[in-house]
Amino acid sequence: MIALLAAAAVGCTNTAGVAARSYTSGWHIWVEPRGTNCGTKLPCTALGVEWTSKTPERAALVITFDGDYKVIRRATLNVDGETIQLQGGLDIASYRYAGGVMRDSSQTFIVPVRLLRQIAASKRTGLQVETSSGLVDSFVVDARKDSEALYAIKRFLIEVDA
């Protein structure tokens, strides 16, 4: 049990630079959500990205909570001091039960690809998510510790640019 909890915690804060798994089919790229740096607080937020060549300047930024059901009402990024309120959250929230205590919830926001480039190049990007049970703060990147979410965004950009 302790090993399982330790593995789950490492999954939220791993900064080893392991590339996120992605699936491409020429015109469609999907990078699975990866954990932000949320410290020891659980549940942790994760970010994933989906893109299609039909709308090359926009991407779907998927915010998830692994381990809990939460209504995601809004999300705000702070990229190197610039506050960006995410707009265009799809009205469809997703909730999934994977057995045992494994639950997750997600919400998708449409963002310009240039915002993802800003995040990838930033020195500090914070994420604040307003949920049905309050605010959840985490970092995509900061001076002390990157997150798997940052590497997922970088992997996404490499594939979009290929």
Side-chain angles (χ1 to χ4, degrees):
M1 180 72 162
I2 292 172
L4 179 62
L5 290 174
V10 168
C12 280
T13 61
N14 185 337
T15 61
V18 176
R21 286 185 291 161
S22 60
Y23 306 95
T24 60
S25 61
W27 56 269
H28 182 254
I29 298 171
W30 162 249
V31 177
E32 292 179 1
R34 295 294 184 175
T36 59
N37 179 5
C38 57
T40 59
K41 294 181 269 177
L42 292 176
C44 190
T45 54
L47 298 177
V49 186
E50 190 167 1
W51 176 89
T52 176
S53 60
K54 291 179 183 178
T55 56
E57 300 302 317
R58 294 180 302 185
L61 183 65
V62 180
I63 298 175
T64 68
F65 279 98
D66 294 332
D68 200 5
Y69 295 139
K70 290 189 178 287
V71 175
I72 299 171
R73 294 192 171 129
R74 78 186 85 193
T76 305
L77 288 165
N78 186 306
V79 183
D80 288 332
E82 179 186 355
T83 301
I84 301 160
Q85 179 73 42
L86 296 183
Q87 301 294 322
L90 301 179
D91 289 335
I92 303 168
S94 172
Y95 303 95
R96 184 174 66 104
Y97 176 67
V101 296
M102 298 307 297
R103 305 179 167 108
D104 63 33
S105 51
S106 66
Q107 182 62 275
T108 302
F109 296 88
I110 305 304
V111 299
V113 171
R114 68 179 152 63
L115 174 60
L116 299 173
R117 293 185 193 286
Q118 265 184 278
I119 293 168
S122 73
K123 292 185 171 130
R124 184 177 176 101
T125 294
L127 172 66
Q128 184 176 72
V129 179
E130 181 184 333
T131 72
S132 52
S133 57
L135 297 175
V136 177
D137 294 313
S138 63
F139 286 96
V140 178
V141 60
D142 72 11
R144 294 173 307 234
K145 190 179 271 191
D146 297 340
S147 68
E148 282 194 14
L150 174 66
Y151 295 108
I153 290 169
K154 287 182 177 185
R155 172 78 173 161
F156 164 79
L157 291 170
I158 288 168
E159 293 193 26
V160 165
D161 293 338

